[in-house]
Amino acid sequence: LMSDSRSGAVASPLPDGRVLIAGGYNNTNGFLKTAEVFDPSTGSFTSTGSMSYPRSGAVASPLPDGRVLIAGGQDNNGKILQTAEVFDPASGTFTAIAGLMTTPRIEAVAAPLPDGRVLIAGGTDGIHGGLSSAEVFDPATGTFTATGSMTTPRTGAVAAPLPDGRVLIAGGDGTGLQTAEVFDPATGTFTALAGMMTTPRQGAVAAPLPDGRVLIAGGYYGSYLQDAEVFEPAAEAAITGGVFGNQTVGWPSPVQTLLITNLGAQALTISGASLGGADPGDFTITSDSCVGRRLAFAQTCTIQTQLTPSAVGARSATVTLADNEPTPASITVTGTGVAANSGPTGPTGPTGATGPAGATGPAGKILLVSCRKITKPIKRHGHRVKVNRNQCTTKPISGRTRFTTAARARLVGRHVLYATGRTSQDRLLLHPHRAIRPGRYTLILARRHSHRWITTRQEITIT
């Protein structure tokens, strides 16, 4: 049994297969803020954290990150709520959302959208009767934004996501609506369906089925209903592919595959495909496995296409199916014609054989000595003390230069000072300001002659 008896509660699936059940009303405790989780592996209900507000007649929807949105409803003071919160199954806690819904709602509908947002539509605010308005919750920003309105105000309707990303909304209202409509998230608009439900229903339930259909069951119309019906979305072809990229004018491209998938519950029958649009002569249908096919829900077939551009620049055509959809599907295939001499660079040829090694030259006559002070612990008279010492490295320098006694020295590379120091007749001692790596540098020497400084520059290579 559940931990609480509940009417008007919400339920939502969790990522691990369990189900969240929250809120509602009973005669003992009134409006509830308690929640519990059903585990199908054990068939048991376990209490979890409580909601921020008691809610009955709210809406719930799963979010992409595994959390659950719960919004609206009515509290124990009879107030219709504009607030919302999320349940985190990892911690078993509810957290209030700072943003408010655009409208207080009870007995609304909610459904997840393909991009992770949630549609909330209809219901009542307790003032204006049934609402036709709708809004979308974005979990990325935690905000609610108004969208297009339904064709009919609906309270106590049902909603379910369809395989093509749209949302079915059906029934509702005290007059017992028998109509239905769909919400298209790509346009933010609602469109009425021509077909009617078999029975007007308010307060029914709905759920998508694995074959693309939607089950609608129960509800109320003059009496409590025991029957059910299914909504079968019309055949609908989704087409992907058809981007060719750059192709040399007059030369056929590699074959591109168009994948056709039936997203409708009704069978999709395809009798052919044709080319139209801007440049149909540049494109060819090389093979068609869809002709004569009858695709059930989620079944696929392929059409092979090829581009032979007739001119430089953007080329496009439209592949249109001849099928039994209410509106036959089409897709634009695109590519760009390029001149013969503007193709991609060919691969680099193999590296030639290595020549014989040259004779070893005489040893260099100039060494660069770079020193830095380090602190090193040593033992002295049985005690551990720290002493400062110079730690020096030596690197050979190619080229010739004359060191002047007591000259000041700077080592510069690409306008960056790497080291400073002094010279003697046969030695250059530098103190590095940054790491000195092999490469080309400029050695700047400055010596004082009489009352002026004489500066010389020498390009050197450190190996």
Side-chain angles (χ1 to χ4, degrees), residues 30 46 54 67 100 109 118 143 161 189 203 229 258 294 306 356 393 406 421 426 438 454:
T46 304
R67 297 180 301 161
L100 296 175
V109 294
V118 176
T143 57
T189 58
E229 55 189 290
L258 304 181
R294 180 181 170 86
Q306 197 170 39
T393 59
D426 60 353
I454 299 176

Side-chain angles (χ1 to χ4, degrees), residues 296-328:
F297 171 69
Q299 284 189 329
T300 63
C301 62
T302 58
I303 295 176
Q304 306 290 334
T305 57
Q306 197 170 39
L307 165 64
T308 306
S310 59
V312 172
R315 319 303 293 168
S316 67
T318 302
V319 178
T320 302
L321 299 181
D323 56 31
N324 63 331
E325 295 179 82
T327 302

Side-chain angles (χ1 to χ4, degrees), residues 264-354:
Q266 301 179 36
L268 173 67
T269 303
I270 302 174
S271 57
S274 59
L275 285 166
D279 310 297
D282 287 18
F283 296 83
T284 306
I285 296 177
T286 59
S287 66
D288 187 348
S289 70
C290 298
V291 175
R293 291 286 302 277
R294 180 181 170 86
L295 302 180
F297 171 69
Q299 284 189 329
T300 63
C301 62
T302 58
I303 295 176
Q304 306 290 334
T305 57
Q306 197 170 39
L307 165 64
T308 306
S310 59
V312 172
R315 319 303 293 168
S316 67
T318 302
V319 178
T320 302
L321 299 181
D323 56 31
N324 63 331
E325 295 179 82
T327 302
S330 64
I331 187 174
T332 300
V333 291
T334 60
T336 302
V338 295
N341 61 353
S342 63
T345 302
T348 302
T351 303
T354 302

Side-chain angles (χ1 to χ4, degrees), residues 322-394:
D323 56 31
N324 63 331
E325 295 179 82
T327 302
S330 64
I331 187 174
T332 300
V333 291
T334 60
T336 302
V338 295
N341 61 353
S342 63
T345 302
T348 302
T351 303
T354 302
T360 302
K365 295 182 180 181
I366 303 174
L367 294 179
L368 172 65
V369 180
S370 301
C371 298
R372 63 188 181 92
K373 286 186 178 181
I374 62 170
T375 301
K376 185 174 182 181
I378 64 171
K379 272 192 174 182
R380 180 178 292 171
H381 306 301
H383 297 283
R384 195 175 184 86
V385 296
K386 294 181 179 179
V387 296
N388 293 326
R389 292 185 176 178
N390 284 334
Q391 186 179 64
C392 300
T393 59
T394 303

Side-chain angles (χ1 to χ4, degrees), residues 66-392:
R67 297 180 301 161
V68 175
L69 170 71
I70 301 175
Q74 186 176 17
D75 67 9
N76 48 13
N77 296 317
K79 178 182 178 182
I80 297 178
L81 300 173
Q82 199 172 353
T83 59
E85 52 194 290
V86 291
F87 173 73
D88 186 348
S91 61
T93 58
F94 292 83
T95 303
I97 294 173
L100 296 175
M101 292 194 294
T102 61
T103 304
R105 299 177 191 271
I106 184 175
E107 303 297 338
V109 294
L113 300 176
D115 60 4
R117 298 179 301 159
V118 176
L119 171 71
I120 303 173
T124 179
D125 60 4
I127 301 174
H128 302 95
L131 300 173
S132 61
S133 65
E135 55 192 288
V136 172
F137 173 70
D138 187 345
T141 60
T143 57
F144 295 85
T145 306
T147 186
S149 294
M150 293 188 293
T151 61
T152 303
R154 299 178 188 271
T155 301
V158 294
L162 298 176
D164 62 1
R166 298 179 302 163
V167 175
L168 169 72
I169 301 175
D173 250 352
T175 57
L177 292 174
Q178 199 171 352
T179 60
E181 53 193 292
V182 291
F183 172 74
D184 187 346
T187 60
T189 58
F190 292 83
T191 304
L193 294 177
M196 306 279 281
M197 291 196 295
T198 60
T199 303
R201 300 176 189 271
Q202 182 185 20
V205 293
L209 300 175
D211 61 1
R213 298 180 300 165
V214 175
L215 172 67
I216 304 173
Y220 180 84
Y221 180 60
S223 61
Y224 293 102
L225 302 174
Q226 193 176 1
D227 62 344
E229 55 189 290
V230 291
F231 171 68
E232 294 187 348
E236 181 179 356
I239 311 176
T240 58
V243 179
F244 286 88
N246 292 344
Q247 182 60 34
T248 303
V249 172
W251 288 84
S253 71
V255 169
Q256 283 276 355
T257 299
L258 304 181
L259 180 67
I260 290 84
T261 305
N262 180 20
L263 298 181
Q266 301 179 36
L268 173 67
T269 303
I270 302 174
S271 57
S274 59
L275 285 166
D279 310 297
D282 287 18
F283 296 83
T284 306
I285 296 177
T286 59
S287 66
D288 187 348
S289 70
C290 298
V291 175
R293 291 286 302 277
R294 180 181 170 86
L295 302 180
F297 171 69
Q299 284 189 329
T300 63
C301 62
T302 58
I303 295 176
Q304 306 290 334
T305 57
Q306 197 170 39
L307 165 64
T308 306
S310 59
V312 172
R315 319 303 293 168
S316 67
T318 302
V319 178
T320 302
L321 299 181
D323 56 31
N324 63 331
E325 295 179 82
T327 302
S330 64
I331 187 174
T332 300
V333 291
T334 60
T336 302
V338 295
N341 61 353
S342 63
T345 302
T348 302
T351 303
T354 302
T360 302
K365 295 182 180 181
I366 303 174
L367 294 179
L368 172 65
V369 180
S370 301
C371 298
R372 63 188 181 92
K373 286 186 178 181
I374 62 170
T375 301
K376 185 174 182 181
I378 64 171
K379 272 192 174 182
R380 180 178 292 171
H381 306 301
H383 297 283
R384 195 175 184 86
V385 296
K386 294 181 179 179
V387 296
N388 293 326
R389 292 185 176 178
N390 284 334
Q391 186 179 64
C392 300

